[in-house]
Amino acid sequence: MLNSGINVLFEGLNMQRLFEGLLVTLRVALIAVVITIVMGFMIGIIRTSKNKLIQVIFKIYLELFRIIPILVWLFVIYYIIPANFNFNLSSEAVALIVFSLWGVAEMSDIVRGAIISLPRHQIESSKAIGLSVVQMYRFVLIPQAIKRTIPPMINLATRMIKTTALLTMIGVIEVIKVGQQIIEVNNITYPMVAFWIYGFIFFLYFCICFPLSYFSRKLEQKWAA
């Protein structure tokens, strides 16, 4: 068993380095998720406007992140834009920019969908009792929409955590990158080391993402009942 490479996990600082890489992964994901929730709600509310220009602008913004892969956005902002405009951004800064822009686009669509799916009589009743537009959103529409956005919001957060695996492509020293470094050092001595390292990384992702997915499913089942 030792010759298979599992012992590499416990040699030196390898385990510590993997957990440090996981913290980088979670830090990027957590900050991006917070920005996503705050800005996504704001833009989602704006997108319920009947103004055609606003609808077109944000529709294009959303489609850009749905059509173009996240990896392409990472390369564009990390390599192409700095090279052409003569400035540099750290790999983590690029990761936060791309993940936040992507998350906000998706979250705004979730919020917009939740608001416009509310029964029409909610709006009519709010107007009938003399509520202003701001009061209608604050006291009637948004509280009800929040309940509908929580399960898809959790699913989006889970997707963002899993997609952080792409950050190794722009040099972020997250858990996948650390795993690759450990494998490169030990691959000749332990040909099976990749199995154990990636297996452990899979376990870490599972421990983080499965509870979130399970919680989201339970909420959907509870509120659908």
Side-chain angles (χ1 to χ4, degrees), residues 3-224:
N3 290 333
S4 68
I6 189 173
N7 56 303
V8 172
L9 282 169
F10 307 100
E11 288 182 351
L13 298 176
N14 288 343
M15 185 68 73
Q16 178 181 329
R17 291 176 61 206
L18 286 168
F19 279 109
E20 288 173 351
L22 181 65
L23 287 177
V24 173
T25 295
L26 293 178
R27 181 171 67 239
V28 171
L30 179 60
I31 295 174
V33 166
V34 171
I35 295 172
T36 288
I37 293 172
V38 175
M39 296 301 298
F41 260 94
M42 293 173 61
I43 294 177
I45 293 168
I46 293 171
R47 288 189 61 199
T48 62
S49 167
K50 297 186 182 301
N51 185 295
K52 295 295 184 182
L53 180 60
I54 290 176
Q55 291 183 13
V56 169
I57 290 173
F58 285 111
K59 182 66 175 177
I60 292 172
Y61 167 44
L62 174 63
E63 291 304 320
L64 282 173
F65 280 89
R66 284 187 171 172
I67 294 170
I68 301 174
I70 299 301
L71 184 59
V72 174
W73 281 110
L74 289 170
F75 282 161
V76 167
I77 297 180
Y78 186 67
Y79 293 111
I80 298 175
I81 292 179
N84 286 276
F85 293 93
N86 196 30
F87 71 92
N88 292 312
L89 289 171
S90 70
S91 55
E92 278 197 41
V94 170
L96 285 173
I97 291 170
V98 172
F99 273 65
S100 297
L101 288 172
W102 165 44
V104 169
E106 294 283 0
M107 188 66 194
S108 70
D109 202 48
I110 292 171
V111 173
R112 173 184 172 275
I115 292 175
I116 65 175
S117 69
L118 294 173
R120 180 68 186 175
H121 69 78
Q122 298 283 351
I123 297 175
E124 295 170 351
S125 300
S126 300
K127 291 178 178 178
I129 62 175
L131 295 181
S132 66
V133 173
V134 173
Q135 290 173 326
M136 178 177 67
Y137 274 92
R138 180 181 177 184
F139 297 114
V140 180
L141 301 183
I142 293 178
Q144 294 181 73
I146 287 175
K147 183 177 179 179
R148 299 189 179 198
T149 62
I150 290 177
M153 180 177 68
I154 295 173
N155 285 331
L156 176 59
T158 304
R159 286 165 53 204
M160 293 175 74
I161 293 170
K162 291 186 289 188
T163 309
T164 55
L166 296 176
L167 300 184
T168 187
M169 303 300 292
I170 60 170
V172 177
I173 310 299
E174 43 70 70
V175 66
I176 299 290
K177 186 68 173 181
V178 173
Q180 290 176 343
Q181 292 172 347
I182 295 172
I183 291 168
E184 288 172 4
V185 172
N186 296 278
N187 195 44
I188 295 177
T189 307
Y190 302 102
M192 287 288 292
V193 68
F195 172 81
W196 295 107
I197 296 297
Y198 284 128
F200 184 67
I201 292 172
F202 165 83
F203 174 74
L204 294 176
Y205 273 107
F206 179 83
C207 289
I208 295 167
C209 295
F210 178 76
L212 291 174
S213 298
Y214 180 80
F215 180 58
S216 176
R217 289 196 301 270
K218 284 298 183 182
L219 284 178
E220 289 177 329
Q221 292 170 2
K222 178 181 178 181
W223 291 340

